């Protein structure tokens, strides 16, 4: 699944993304850290992995998602 970064707080390493249908999904530091990123910026396109209703991985759209 892909989305666009709506907000990111570098101190807490958490934020939210907007899906293409306009749905906003929050992500926590654990999901951000799982993607291997150091920073996310507003408008950046990202790949998302979900674990139920929770975003479990956020990474760049050019990076592969980890195997489930």
């Amino acid at each position: 699944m892909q989305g666009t970064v709506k907000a990111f707080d570098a101190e807490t390493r958490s934020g939210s993304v907007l899906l293409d249908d306009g749905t906003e999904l929050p992500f926590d530091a654990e999901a951000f850290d799982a993607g291997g990123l150091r920073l996310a910026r507003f408008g950046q396109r990202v790949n998302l992995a979900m674990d139920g209703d929770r975003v479990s991985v956020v990474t760049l759209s050019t990076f592969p998602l980890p195997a489930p």
Side-chain angles (χ1 to χ4, degrees), residues 1-4 17-19 25 27 46-50 55-59 65:
M1 171 183 314
Q2 290 191 344
T4 304
V17 296
L18 288 176
L19 302 182
L25 294 175
F27 63 87
V46 292
N47 279 341
L48 309 169
M50 302 293 292
V55 174
S56 59
V57 179
V58 177
T59 193
L65 287 169

Side-chain angles (χ1 to χ4, degrees), residues 3 7 10 16 18 21 24 29 31 42 44 48 50 52 62 64 66:
S16 65
L18 288 176
D21 68 2
E24 184 175 355
F42 176 78
Q44 189 170 28
L48 309 169
M50 302 293 292
T62 56

Side-chain angles (χ1 to χ4, degrees), residues 18-44:
L18 288 176
L19 302 182
D20 292 341
D21 68 2
T23 304
E24 184 175 355
L25 294 175
F27 63 87
D28 57 22
E30 185 178 346
F32 184 75
D33 292 344
L37 300 178
R38 291 189 272 167
L39 185 65
R41 60 179 168 73
F42 176 78
Q44 189 170 28

